[in-house]
Amino acid sequence: MDQHYSHQWIPDAFPWLESAIVRLCEVITFTKGWDSYGGKPVDPSVGPHVVRWLSYLMESDTPIPRIIPVRDGAVQLEWHGPYGDLLVQISPMGAAEVYHKERYTGAVWTGPLLRYPDRVRYACRVISESMKPPALVDSRDC
């Protein structure tokens, strides 16, 4: 029997999902002290919570965030673009804390993602739009 891995279960609506899962698996394999300061390994129970929050925040064309381990066993999702920065830290219990800074105004807000769900989704969308390369213009259209 062929033991190859099939990606057919990944919905077309989530083209970023495969890359996110691969990166998450890498992060979960980090051992104690991965940061050379005694950082705890990422708790594997955070995985399903990360996928759930990504599914909530991202649209089909949203660039995948950086997926980074946190010293206490959590995972942080990071989007950085010309508009600003959005960081979402997800605990092994599934709680999500947000840090957002708008680059133009300098406005900063932090707190539980569930306190600002629409605001966080909007920030994710705007930052993602600012990360995309500009569309190429055909010189014949000028």
Side-chain angles (χ1 to χ4, degrees):
M1 182 170 156
D2 189 8
Q3 294 281 322
H4 76 281
Y5 176 69
S6 171
H7 305 288
Q8 293 177 348
W9 60 270
I10 297 176
D12 290 338
F14 303 121
W16 46 263
L17 185 57
E18 181 180 349
S19 296
I21 290 172
V22 167
R23 174 61 182 153
L24 194 53
C25 289
E26 290 171 1
V27 168
I28 287 174
T29 65
F30 291 1
T31 58
K32 181 173 173 53
W34 57 267
D35 62 352
S36 71
Y37 294 100
K40 292 168 116 179
V42 171
D43 187 323
S45 66
V46 78
H49 301 300
V50 169
V51 172
R52 179 174 51 101
W53 284 116
L54 283 171
S55 299
Y56 176 76
L57 292 172
M58 295 178 63
E59 296 177 8
S60 64
D61 61 345
T62 304
I64 189 167
R66 293 178 65 205
I67 300 175
I68 300 169
V70 180
R71 294 194 73 221
D72 66 357
V75 167
Q76 185 161 292
L77 310 175
E78 296 185 3
W79 289 268
H80 302 282
Y83 171 77
D85 303 303
L86 178 64
L87 287 64
V88 178
Q89 191 171 114
I90 303 168
S91 77
M93 299 300 291
E97 292 289 321
V98 176
Y99 169 87
H100 177 255
K101 180 176 184 180
E102 295 176 13
R103 198 162 322 283
Y104 301 116
T105 65
V108 173
W109 46 270
T110 63
L113 189 149
L114 289 176
R115 185 182 303 159
Y116 311 106
D118 294 334
R119 194 173 182 183
V120 174
R121 289 189 82 201
Y122 175 77
C124 187
R125 187 169 44 254
V126 170
I127 290 171
S128 294
E129 285 297 320
S130 74
M131 293 168 63
K132 293 178 184 173
L136 296 176
V137 177
D138 189 331
S139 60
R140 295 173 291 191
D141 294 337
C142 297

